[in-house]
Structure formats: C-alpha cells, structure tokens
Amino acid sequence: MIEIIEPGLWTTVQDLGRLGNYHLGVPPSGAADKFSFMAGNLLIGNPVDFAGLEMTLFGGRMVFHKNTVIALTGAPMEALINGRPMEFWRAAEVREGDVLTLNACWEGVKAFLCVSGGIDVPEVLGSRSTYELSKIGGFKGRKLEKGDKVSMNEPLPGVFKQAGKSVPQEFIPGFSRSQEIRVTMGIKGHMISDQGLKAFLNSEWTVLPESNRVAYRYTGAKVSFIEEEPPFGAGSSFTNVVDFAYPIGGIMFPNEEELIVLQNDATTGGGFVTIGTVISQDLDLIAQSRPLSTCRFTAITLDQAIEVRRERKEKLARLEELLKR
C-alpha cells in the first residue's frame, strides 16, 4: 500500500474516467491531463487506463509498503525518494519503506503518480476515478488525507526491467503560460453577435484563480450577445437559452465579460450561452494552465479535430512501441 504522510494540496485517485453515464448526471471525471497520465502508465508497462494518483501543484509525502515500479509525469514537481532527487518521465524502482516527497511544481498544475499494476480501489460505474462532488469512486469518494492507506495491485510480471526507462523528450508536453486552444464552433453560437464572435477569437483570455476540475473560468474581452424580441411584449430585449445538455469542453458565457470551459467533473446541463467546444486533446492544456496564465481560442473544423485525435492516438502507439524495446 501507499501511506499518506502529508496529503498535498489536492490528491485523488483517477483513471481515464467513467463513460456512458453523463445522461444520468454523472460526469466522466478521470485524469485532467490524459496524455501525461497515459504516458505514465505506458512507461511502467501498464495498460493506459490503470488507476493512479493525480496531484495538484504539490503532492506532499508518502511511504511505500511494497516493492514496485513507479513513474511521475505531468507538471514537474520537485520529487525526492528518501531525500534523493527523482526524475519525472522516468520509471523508478521503489522498495518497501521508501519515502516519496513531492514539493511544488514550477510550471503546470497537475502531476501524476502511476504504479505498476495500478491503484486498487473499488470500481464505481465502471471506473475508479474520484468524483468528489458526489463522493463516489476513488478512495472513499474524496481527496486523500493524512494517514490514508491506499492499496496497490501486485506489480506486473517483469516490470522491474522497466526501471530506468524514460519517455523521449519529443513526447513530453510543454507547460507554457500562454496557450493556443482549439475549438469547434457551434451549439448555441448563434446567440453571440458577429462582433462578439470576433472578440472571442481575437482576444487574449486570462485564467481566474477559482478554476478547478469542474470548470476553468476566464476573463478577457467583452463578448456581446444578440438581442431578441421578448415574448408577449414584456420588458426590454434579451437573450434566452432553454436548458440543454452540456458537452465536456463546452465554452459557456455566464455574462458578456467572462467565459467558462467545462472540465471532467462538470455539471451536465444548464442554460448558459455556449459558443462551442474545446477539442478533447486541448483540455489537457487547460488543465495544466496556472491562474493568471493566458490563452487564445482558435476555431477549427470537425474534420481537423478528428485528425488531431488520430495523431495523438498514433503518437501514443509510437511511444508504447518505443518503451517495449
């Protein structure tokens, strides 16, 4: 098992998420930066969906009570094993009694600890991911606390040969404070004026501190809505949106001066004007965006979005092949 000595800011058990329950009001949850998470699993010979730990800004301190092989990926925290530096993106053998310390990261937000065989917690609706708002999945449905003892599955056969292997530099993502986020336009975009659309695409947006796993909030330009005639002659002109189902990655405007991008723990529906959807690959970039970092949104076609997805799938396949050698 892994015993938590100091829990860090916000550490939860995650896998790739629980799919197929969004219509029931249950979001997918799962690793916020999926590429980093999957690369960590591949590095130690796990299937990409084995559960690991997701850590936010700093990871605290934990002791291993089993010999195994681990990998750290994602936002680069200062990592120490028994006081000695440990590299991110490199598989490492740990022995019973070894203490892993994870101090603050200097860029990015989310780091991941993958262990051979995966974290052993019960599945809920087909996933081990934590959805803290409803207290389901993960370790008792919550973030980890001091004194928690998290079970690990037995290491996979032959995994100790993975120790020392590393992810090639070309596969390691950057964690810039300025990002270009690709979106497919649509949904309720017709509720935004032409001037508003131009402002959305031509402006720089800043991440606000209250951003989290439910949604990232941004401020930037003023994005004006269209005006419609009110029903029954009452009141002044207004914009109205009937409640509908939100997609993960949906870009919503609660008002004309802020926007919200829904993340893996998002609410499943509502009535905000929704201009489009961030492509799934770039949700990783958003999850690694620190408060007060900036981005610009770029419109792409659905065909282009599908091509980006194909390219990432092929990239992961190449990485898996390299790590098997």
Side-chain angles (χ1 to χ4, degrees), residues 18 26 124-125 129-132 134-138 140-142:
R18 54 180 56 83
V26 182
V124 177
L125 296 175
S129 286
T130 308
Y131 178 41
E132 187 145 10
S134 292
K135 304 299 180 186
I136 64 172
K140 301 181 180 180
R142 60 169 171 78

Side-chain angles (χ1 to χ4, degrees), residues 181 216 218 261 263 278 282-289 297:
I181 305 298
Y216 261 60
Y218 295 80
V261 179
Q263 297 294 287
V278 173
D282 286 1
L283 289 176
D284 291 357
L285 301 180
I286 291 178
Q288 295 289 9
S289 299
F297 294 98

Side-chain angles (χ1 to χ4, degrees), residues 228-239:
E228 293 182 339
E229 289 301 319
F232 314 116
S236 58
S237 297
F238 78 118
T239 297

